[in-house]
Amino acid sequence: MALSIATKHMINIVFAIFVLVPFLSACVTTQQGGLAARADEKKTLEYSVQLARSYISKGHWAAAKRHLKNALKIDKSSPEVYETLALVFQNTGETELAEENFKRSIKLASDYSRVRNNYAVFLYQQRRYKEAAKQLEVVVSDILYDKRGMAFVNLGRSYLQLEELNKAEAAFSRAYGMDRHNAQLMYQLADVYFQLKEYPKAYRLYRAYRSQVKQQPAQALWLGIRLADKFDNQDEFSSFVLALKNLYPASKEYLEYKSVFGHDG
C-alpha cells in the first residue's frame, strides 16, 4: 500500500533525528575532553608553581627555575608564574630581572594584591620608598586581601622612611585596629606618637608594649628612657638606662643616650 505524503514526511523527520543524534553526542564528548585537558593543565601549572615556591624557600634556585620553565610552557600569561620568577631573581640578586617579572605579573593581573605587596617589599629593599608606598596604597584598598594588615604595616614603614609622620601614623593605626595584640605595632605607634610629640598616646602604647614583651630591644629601651624623662619618672628612667647599658653597651641607642643626657648612666 502506498504511503501517504504525511507518513513519508514523518519518516524523514525521524531519520533526520537519528542521524543528528550521533553528531550531537560526538560534539559533547569532544567538548568534555577539552575541558578535562584544560583542567589537567591548570593543575599541572599550579603544582609547578607550588614546587618552585617550595624550592625558593629552601634556596634551590635552579630547581625552582626548572619548574617555572615548565609552567611557562603551559601558560605564558600566568601572573603567578612571573611573580614566582621575580622572587627567584630577587633572592639571587638579579634586581633588573626581578623588577621586570614583577611588572609583567602586575600587567597581567592589575588586581593581584599579593604580587603588588611583594613588589613593594622589593622596592623598599631597594630604598625606593616612594614607589613602595604607591604600590601599597593600591594593596590596602583591596578590602578582601588576606594580608591587608601587614600591607598597612609596610605602608607605615615606607612613610616613616619618607618622614611623612602623619601618613605613617594613619597606616600603623589601621594595622593596629586589625591586630590589637601585636606588640611590635604597639611599639611602632608609640614611637611615631613620640615623634609627633603626642606624648600621652606614646606613653600609653609603650606601657602596653612593655606588658607584652619579656626583654626590650635597644630601640624600645631608648624610647622608654625618653618617655620617662618627659613624664619625670625617675625610677623608670634609671631602670631603662641600666638595662640599655648592661644589655646593649655597643648599640647606637646607648651612644645616643650618652650624647643626649651627657653621662654613662
Side-chain angles (χ1 to χ4, degrees):
M1 184 174 69
L3 295 171
S4 68
I5 294 174
T7 303
K8 287 181 179 179
H9 182 63
M10 287 299 297
I11 290 172
N12 288 336
I13 291 173
V14 171
F15 178 75
I17 290 172
F18 277 98
V19 169
L20 284 172
V21 167
F23 286 97
L24 289 172
S25 299
C27 289
V28 171
T29 302
T30 303
Q31 187 177 11
Q32 287 175 341
L35 288 172
R38 286 196 292 273
D40 287 342
E41 284 186 348
K42 184 179 179 182
K43 286 181 180 179
T44 303
L45 178 69
E46 291 174 351
Y47 186 59
S48 295
V49 173
Q50 287 173 5
L51 281 174
R53 287 181 175 273
S54 176
Y55 281 121
I56 288 172
S57 68
K58 298 172 184 175
H60 298 165
W61 317 121
K65 287 180 182 179
R66 184 171 66 251
H67 286 288
L68 291 170
K69 184 178 180 180
N70 291 335
L72 283 174
K73 289 178 182 178
I74 299 170
D75 186 359
K76 290 184 178 180
S77 61
S78 167
E80 290 86 355
V81 175
Y82 292 111
E83 177 201 16
T84 312
L85 269 173
L87 295 175
V88 173
F89 292 127
Q90 181 180 356
N91 280 281
T92 58
E94 299 172 273
T95 55
E96 290 184 7
L97 288 171
E99 181 155 17
E100 177 185 322
N101 281 280
F102 274 128
K103 287 182 175 179
R104 189 175 295 177
S105 179
I106 291 170
K107 186 176 181 180
L108 287 166
S110 60
D111 59 347
Y112 189 13
S113 295
R114 187 182 73 190
V115 69
R116 281 190 185 274
N117 188 66
N118 287 338
Y119 182 38
V121 171
F122 167 81
L123 292 169
Y124 186 95
Q125 291 173 347
Q126 299 295 309
R127 300 184 179 182
R128 294 159 61 182
Y129 305 120
K130 189 172 183 178
E131 292 171 80
K134 183 178 179 180
Q135 292 295 328
L136 289 164
E137 287 287 5
V138 178
V139 175
V140 298
S141 69
D142 180 359
I143 60 173
L144 298 179
Y145 179 46
D146 60 343
K147 304 293 184 184
R148 189 167 174 242
M150 192 64 234
F152 271 118
V153 172
N154 290 337
L155 181 60
R157 289 172 178 166
S158 298
Y159 280 132
L160 269 184
Q161 293 293 340
L162 294 168
E163 298 183 350
E164 296 189 43
L165 293 177
N166 288 310
K167 288 184 177 181
E169 183 274 329
F172 286 134
S173 291
R174 293 293 297 275
Y176 182 58
M178 298 175 188
D179 186 4
R180 291 190 173 274
H181 299 290
N182 188 317
Q184 186 57 37
L185 268 174
M186 294 173 189
Y187 163 75
Q188 200 75 77
L189 261 177
D191 185 57
V192 171
Y193 281 133
F194 184 87
Q195 294 183 62
L196 289 169
K197 297 182 170 54
E198 295 188 38
Y199 302 123
K201 288 183 179 180
Y203 190 55
R204 184 172 65 252
L205 278 163
Y206 174 72
R207 288 177 68 87
Y209 164 77
R210 277 183 59 203
S211 70
Q212 297 286 327
V213 297
K214 292 181 179 180
Q215 181 175 307
Q216 297 185 71
Q219 64 266 30
L221 285 168
W222 175 224
L223 175 61
I225 289 168
R226 288 173 292 162
L227 282 168
D229 179 64
K230 292 293 181 186
F231 288 94
D232 197 26
N233 190 326
Q234 290 301 313
D235 289 340
E236 284 191 350
F237 184 91
S238 300
S239 175
F240 296 151
V241 169
L242 185 62
L244 184 62
K245 180 180 179 179
N246 291 339
L247 294 172
Y248 312 102
S251 66
K252 66 180 180 63
E253 286 82 7
Y254 185 57
L255 292 174
E256 197 168 356
Y257 158 74
K258 289 194 291 184
S259 173
V260 171
F261 290 97
H263 52 76
D264 291 337

